[in-house]
Each structure stands twice: as structure tokens, then as C-alpha cells.
Amino acid sequence: MTDQDIGDGTRTVRAGLPDPVKYEPTLPGPVFAAHFHLPGEPTGPYTYGRDENPTWTHLERAISELEAPGEDVETLVFASGMAAISAVLLSQTKAGDTVVLPADGYQALPLLHEQLRAYGIQVRTAPTGADAQLSVLDGAGLLWIESPSNPGLDVCDIRRLVQRAHSVGALVAVDNTLATPLGQRPLALGADFSVASDTKGMTGHGDILLGHVTCRDSRRAAEVRRWRKIVGAIPGPMEAWLAHRSLATLQLRIDRQCSTALLLARTLAERDDVTGLRYPGLPGDPSHAVASQQMRRFGPVVSFELADRKRAEQFLEGLRFVDDATSFGGVRSTAERRGRWGGDAVAEGFIRFSVGAEDPEDLIGDVLRALDKAGSAG
């Protein structure tokens, strides 16, 4: 049996574990070290805590096994998802370059727009849906894809965009946060970089800030690694260890979340008070056909709109088993009115709902009660 043949559950449980040593733990504890014994020439793998750490190494190997089973890739972990995103964009561009970013991507991306422009880098944007980024690719050096997009859940044809980008000499990075490697493998679709905020579904418990970058090209990986060293955007060893521990349940978590998310989407589709419903796994969703060709799981996030801000807030207040909180991908369901942050082009009644691991009947019943209550209160 090859690495490609084993199931996702087996892979996530075993990923990144060192070879067994008698009387040693299966997953060694976190290594808290700023410096290491270093007699003579510094030729070993661990010299200083900002450069490398054994706990990172185990986690990076684990993520590589999930991103590209059986393949030779490199993963670097970061202190947060934004640290990982910034590392790719700022290590792979220089003054005079052009980058293409999604117009409907993660809310913090506009901050990077400003920084890139301050460094003399031209920024172009286009929406994720309908592969609109194709129209602004000519002359670009890097294409940034976010699919499914956050929070609108649009999907683009990654293979198609990668082929076109490469034909014009552009690198391609895919923000795979919402899907996770169990839902989508960007490197297998041709991307140069797979990037994610592991704060979300990868670790899944809402208690760790972490990010990662995975790529095949060792030279590109070295450039990202150098950027991490320069800015010091490194994770703590405890966070890295907790993340590795959490990966073991990724398949269990994501399968429960995705199946319940589909049930929730089907339920919401029957409601007259719900509009703008989006979930890539729903057969009637505008993105379903493309998503089905490149995604293995459709993620835990469902988005929809209620009549207005007041109705949305009443709905959120009426939920018992769902936290009104930002972020997504955790074992505890969360929902929020995204318009409260500003920056996202969404209606005042837009809800981003992240399905957790609760019993489906309890969660859907809770949502229906809150919707009915909000309707009667309105």
C-alpha cells in the first residue's frame, strides 16, 4: 500500500509522527528552546529557536503529508494565517511587479494591498466567481486565489486559472483555509503554494493562532523560510504541539461538520425568510459544478441573508448552541453578522455560519427556533 492509498482518517492520525523509539512518546512533547548545544561548526538542523524547532518539524511533516501525500513538498509553519499569507506575497514580489488578488477575499487582504502598493507593487483585483481573475492576469507575476472565498463562498476553477497564470509567467498561491487539505489539494491542481490559516479548521478548537505555507519548489520554500526568519513570524512550540495533536481528529471533525453543513443548507433552502443562500456542496449552488470537480469535501461554512440587520441580530441572539463569534472551522458552531466589521461587500443581514460538531438534530432545531423567533419578533 502506498501513501496515496491510505484513508484520510489513518493519514491524519499518523501524520508527522517520528519513528517509534522504545519508551519514548509517540508524539514528543513541545521543545522549549531558544538555543541548542552547538559545538564546532553550525551544521546541524537546530541552532537557534527563530530558525528551526523540532516541534515545528513534526508538525510541518504532518501538514506536508496531508497537502501532498507521498510527494516531496516543504511546509513552513507561521504564527498566524496572515503571517503565512504575508510571507508568500512579500517574499515573492518586488518593486515593479504586479499581483492579482481576489476582490472578495479575506477581510484583511486590503491591508496587504496598501502595503504592497507602498513597496511599489501594482495590485489588481477581480472577483472569485466566474473565474474573473483571468481578465486581469496579463503581465502579472503572482496570482492569489481564495476558493471558496470568505465570506461569500464563491468558487473558481483553480486548474484553469493556474494554467493561464503559468502561461503568462505568474506564480499561483491558493488560500485553502476554508477547505483544508482534506477538502481540496491546491498543489495537485497545479498551484505553486498552498496557504492556510490553521487557526480555523486545521486545528479546529478555536484556541490556537497558526498558519502554514506548503510548496514543491525548494528554492521558493527557501525564500519563504528566509522571510519567516527576517520578520520572526514564528509559532510558539506549545502552539505547534497542540496543532499537531489536533490534526489527529481532522477527518472526524471535518466529515461531521460538512455533513451537517449540507443538512443545514438544505433546511435553509426551504425557508422563505432566508435569501442569498450559499454552500458549494448544495446541488443548486452556483458554484457546485466547479466545486465538485476540485473539492473532496465542501467545508463547514454556510452563508445566507436575512431581511435586515435587526432580523439578523435577533436571529443570533436566539441561538442556544451557536456562539456569536468570528472565525470558523471549530468544533463549536459559530455565526456572525459579517457587516458589523465593515470591509466585506455584504448586506446588513448577511450571516456567515460555521457548522461545528454538535448533533445535527440539535443544531438545526436551534437554528429553526431562532429563525422563527426572529420572524415573530420582527
Side-chain angles (χ1 to χ4, degrees), residues 4 21 60 62 72 92 97 107 116 133 142 146 154 163 213 242 250 262 266 301 320 323 331 345 350 358 362-363 371:
Q4 287 91 339
V21 176
E60 289 169 344
D72 186 16
Q92 300 302 308
D97 286 349
Q107 185 191 49
L116 290 167
Q133 289 175 299
L142 189 148
E146 187 177 303
D154 267 325
Q163 290 171 359
V213 176
L242 286 169
L250 176 58
L262 181 57
R266 287 172 172 165
V301 179
R320 177 184 175 191
D323 296 329
V331 291
F350 181 96
E358 298 87 359
D362 294 335
L363 184 64
L371 285 171

Side-chain angles (χ1 to χ4, degrees), residues 29-241:
V31 175
F32 299 100
H35 59 267
F36 300 82
H37 288 295
L38 197 63
E41 294 299 316
T43 56
Y46 305 110
T47 59
Y48 187 64
R50 190 181 67 251
D51 301 336
E52 295 291 345
N53 178 291
T55 309
W56 303 352
T57 299
H58 293 310
L59 175 60
E60 289 169 344
R61 289 173 180 167
I63 295 173
S64 289
E65 290 175 29
L66 301 182
E67 287 277 10
E71 298 185 40
D72 186 16
V73 299
E74 292 188 54
T75 293
L76 293 124
V77 289
F78 288 83
S80 69
M82 280 305 297
I85 291 169
S86 300
V88 173
L89 284 168
L90 296 173
S91 71
Q92 300 302 308
T93 58
K94 62 184 183 305
D97 286 349
T98 297
V99 300
V100 174
L101 293 131
D104 53 347
Y106 177 53
Q107 185 191 49
L109 280 182
L111 299 176
L112 271 173
H113 297 182
E114 295 175 14
Q115 193 60 56
L116 290 167
R117 290 184 176 115
Y119 288 155
I121 298 163
Q122 182 182 2
V123 176
R124 299 176 188 160
T125 63
T128 298
D131 299 344
Q133 289 175 299
L134 288 172
S135 65
V136 291
L137 267 180
D138 286 349
L142 189 148
L143 167 64
W144 189 272
I145 294 172
E146 187 177 303
S147 180
S149 62
N150 171 30
L153 302 182
D154 267 325
V155 171
C156 61
D157 186 335
I158 295 176
R159 288 187 186 90
R160 183 185 181 203
L161 267 71
V162 166
Q163 290 171 359
R164 174 63 188 282
H166 285 170
S167 74
V168 300
L171 297 169
V172 181
V174 176
D175 184 333
N176 201 41
T177 299
L178 197 145
T180 81
L182 294 197
Q184 181 172 265
R185 292 183 178 138
L187 299 185
L189 299 173
D192 300 289
F193 301 93
S194 179
V195 187
S197 168
D198 302 318
T199 307
K200 315 295 194 300
M202 284 285 276
T203 57
H205 291 78
D207 54 8
I208 302 170
L209 289 175
L210 200 79
H212 81 265
V213 176
T214 303
C215 60
R216 283 197 180 88
D217 189 317
S218 59
R219 180 171 66 87
R220 301 293 180 187
E223 291 167 349
V224 175
R225 187 185 306 275
R226 179 175 179 271
W227 183 261
R228 181 178 70 176
K229 178 176 181 176
I230 290 171
V231 299
I234 59 172
M238 190 66 189
E239 285 78 5
W241 184 85

